[in-house]
Amino acid sequence: MKSLTHIITTLSLSFLAFSAEATEVRQMDTVVELYTSQGCSSCPPADALMGDIVNTANKTNVLGLSFAVTYWDYIGWKDTFGSPQNDLRQTQYKERLRTSYVYTPQMIVGGKDHFVGSSSDQLSHNLAVYKGHARQLPLKWKLQDDVLEIALPSWQTPSIIWQTDLNHAEKVSIGRGENTGRKITYHNVVRKLDSLANWDGKPKTLKLSLKSLREKGRDSCAILVQENGYGSIVAALFIQL
């Protein structure tokens, strides 16, 4: 008869093997960021459009990311995913893209251009213009012992390497504010944004613990290589846990 320790060890090894096999890693063609708020009555159509982006990503290779901001919280409903980090990122884009103010819903494609996030026509136009921008820097990777190693070749422009921890889909029942009574699903919700490195462009290897992401309840994450911090996104890696 097998001991309890043997059974637990076998199950643990099986889980690790399953995790490695289930993990999917892809370099994406294009990145679309949506700045949204649960307290914004104009945002639900943009949130639905982001759902279309995320749900067709296997065919289009477009990475959609939802960044919830906090500056509409005062209206009466505190965004459950809102983060000052997201506010800061959007403000940095305001300076970079020379816009007069921040707003929701706002979509930004490739770190290059922005438009009202509910406009499917503008989205289609920008996807055509910036197609392939996130493959300018070809990445290589390998998975070993639930650690993802990512190799970056040399690049001519200093960049920031960002990690966005994601949840694929989250449904929220909104109890107050402009969207009172609505149940809205948010897609590829950015739960945390970290600057992994200020990269000088010399060949570099990153290591990412997938186990720690799972323990936090995340089901995916993305790595972005962005010139000068908030400029053009030249590489994007999507990791499905």
Side-chain angles (χ1 to χ4, degrees), residues 26 31 52 77-78 81 110 113 125 128 130 152 154 164 175 183 201-202:
R26 284 188 295 147
V31 179
D52 293 338
W77 177 258
K78 185 176 181 179
F81 306 127
D113 202 358
H125 170 74
Y130 299 111
L152 289 78
S154 61
T164 63
K183 293 182 179 180
K202 296 178 181 179

Side-chain angles (χ1 to χ4, degrees), residues 26 28 31 63-65 150 161-166 188 190 192-194 196 208 213 220-225 235-240:
R26 284 188 295 147
M28 307 300 281
V31 179
L63 174 62
L65 302 171
I150 305 167
I161 302 171
W162 300 100
Q163 176 182 332
T164 63
D165 299 352
L166 307 172
N188 275 6
V190 175
K192 190 176 182 182
L193 174 68
D194 283 322
L196 295 184
L208 182 65
L213 285 170
S220 54
C221 76
I223 302 296
L224 309 178
V225 181
L237 206 63
F238 178 67
I239 301 104
Q240 179 72 55

